[in-house]
Every structure is written in structure tokens, then in C-alpha cells.
Amino acid sequence: MIKKIDHIAIAVDNLEEEIRRYTDVLGLEFLGTEVVKEQKVRTAFFKVGDVHIELLEPLSEDSPILKFLEKRGKGIHHISYEVDNIEHQIKELENNGVRMLDKEPRIGAHNAKIAFAHPKSLSGVLCEFVEKGE
Ligand code: CMX
């Protein structure tokens, strides 16, 4: 079951510059940065109520974020939904014809279990499903 929106992720090419923009111009509360090697990204998180904004900078030449930036430029990359049980959510989505990019959960930022669904399956929006760690 989907509980809430966990975060909205935005692809950027210069994390430091964007951190300044989000703190100084928008005045959002900065929560810190994290390198997620498995996803080949460096992230920065901000708090807006109980939703987070995640900035994503590519960590390497084969990062999906680099490909996104080259093809589409900076902008909204994905919406992340918090779920109560990721394995169950993956099965439910597949049973409803959604093409899962991850058939098994993997580890994302903050050690959470995550799975992505293909944007072509969900209205052109890349969707992440996340079950929070302890
Ligand atoms: N949102 C919407 N559409 C997207 C998209 C995105 N983020 N990324 C790609 N697309 C579109 C492409 O533009 C393309 O559209 P067209 O066919 O109309 O041109 C289509 O989806 C398929 O693109 P593709 O070239 O076949 O596939 P890519 O190699 O670009 O891969 C995707 C796209 C989503 C499958 C890949 O990026 C992926 O597996 N993502 C999941 C993992 C990820 O994004 N990790 C980074 C974030 C990690 C984190 O938050 O910690």
C-alpha cells in the first residue's frame, strides 16, 4: 500500500550550486548530502513539510542521471512513494501490468529498500517505491 509521497527528485549537473539555490533562494531546510554508489549518484536532501526534495548529481559516466541530463536537461527525475511492504508492492504493480525495472528491491539512499517502475508504464513519470529502513 502506498502511504505518502516520500520525495521528489530533481536531476542537476552541479550539486553545490543547486544546494545554494535551494537554501538561499527557496529557503528550504538543508538536510545534508549522501553518495549512493549503487545508484551512481550524489544526493542532497531538503525538507518541505514531511516531503523531501532530493537533488541528484551524476557520480560517473554511466550514471542514469548523466544520460537523463544529456537527453532532457535539468528537471524532475522521479517521484518516490513510500510503501509499507516493498516486495508486496512490486508484485501488485506487476500484476497490474506495470513494468518494474527492479523485480527485487535494492538499497537506496538512507539504506532504504527501493524499486523503480518504468516511466512508460506510469504516465511518463519515473516512479520509485521505497520501504524505509530502521
Ligand atoms: N522520467 C521520465 N521519462 C524518462 C526518464 C525519467 N526519469 N528517464 C528516461 N525517460 C524516458 C526517455 O526519455 C525515453 O523516452 P523516449 O523513448 O520517448 O525517448 C524512455 O524513457 C526510455 O528511455 P531509454 O533510453 O530506453 O532508457 P534509459 O537508458 O534512458 O533509462 C530508465 C531510463 C528510467 C529505465 C533508467 O534511468 C533507470 O533504470 N532508472 C532507475 C534508476 C535510477 O534512475 N537511479 C537514479 C536515482 C537513484 C536515487 O534516487 O537514489
Side-chain angles (χ1 to χ4, degrees), residues 62-115:
D62 59 345
S63 169
I65 303 306
L66 188 62
K67 189 166 182 191
F68 180 90
L69 289 169
E70 283 169 356
K71 200 165 178 184
R72 302 163 73 110
K74 290 193 280 185
I76 293 185
H77 183 260
H78 66 261
I79 294 178
S80 177
Y81 294 101
E82 185 179 343
V83 301
D84 53 0
N85 182 316
I86 189 86
E87 285 85 1
H88 188 251
Q89 191 69 43
I90 292 171
K91 280 201 189 81
E92 281 254 313
L93 289 163
E94 284 192 312
N95 288 342
N96 283 292
V98 174
R99 183 175 145 204
M100 293 305 297
L101 293 162
D102 300 296
K103 297 194 183 299
E104 302 290 336
R106 44 184 170 146
I107 302 301
H110 308 314
N111 222 24
K113 290 203 274 184
I114 64 168

Side-chain angles (χ1 to χ4, degrees), residues 4-123:
K4 63 187 270 286
I5 289 184
D6 182 69
H7 64 267
I8 296 168
I10 299 168
V12 301
D13 52 6
N14 183 329
L15 198 61
E16 269 60 44
E17 189 182 305
E18 301 292 346
I19 289 171
R20 278 195 296 280
R21 178 170 291 123
Y22 276 76
T23 44
D24 298 349
V25 179
L26 291 181
L28 299 190
E29 184 185 341
F30 176 49
L31 299 176
T33 60
E34 183 179 348
V35 168
V36 187
K37 280 199 187 131
E38 296 80 4
Q39 295 290 319
K40 304 179 176 105
V41 292
R42 201 156 69 91
T43 69
F45 277 94
F46 301 84
K47 192 169 151 52
V48 187
D50 65 352
V51 175
H52 290 165
I53 298 291
E54 177 188 39
L55 302 182
L56 291 169
E57 181 192 62
L59 199 58
S60 58
E61 293 294 308
D62 59 345
S63 169
I65 303 306
L66 188 62
K67 189 166 182 191
F68 180 90
L69 289 169
E70 283 169 356
K71 200 165 178 184
R72 302 163 73 110
K74 290 193 280 185
I76 293 185
H77 183 260
H78 66 261
I79 294 178
S80 177
Y81 294 101
E82 185 179 343
V83 301
D84 53 0
N85 182 316
I86 189 86
E87 285 85 1
H88 188 251
Q89 191 69 43
I90 292 171
K91 280 201 189 81
E92 281 254 313
L93 289 163
E94 284 192 312
N95 288 342
N96 283 292
V98 174
R99 183 175 145 204
M100 293 305 297
L101 293 162
D102 300 296
K103 297 194 183 299
E104 302 290 336
R106 44 184 170 146
I107 302 301
H110 308 314
N111 222 24
K113 290 203 274 184
I114 64 168
F116 281 91
H118 199 282
K120 296 287 178 194
S121 281
L122 289 170
S123 325

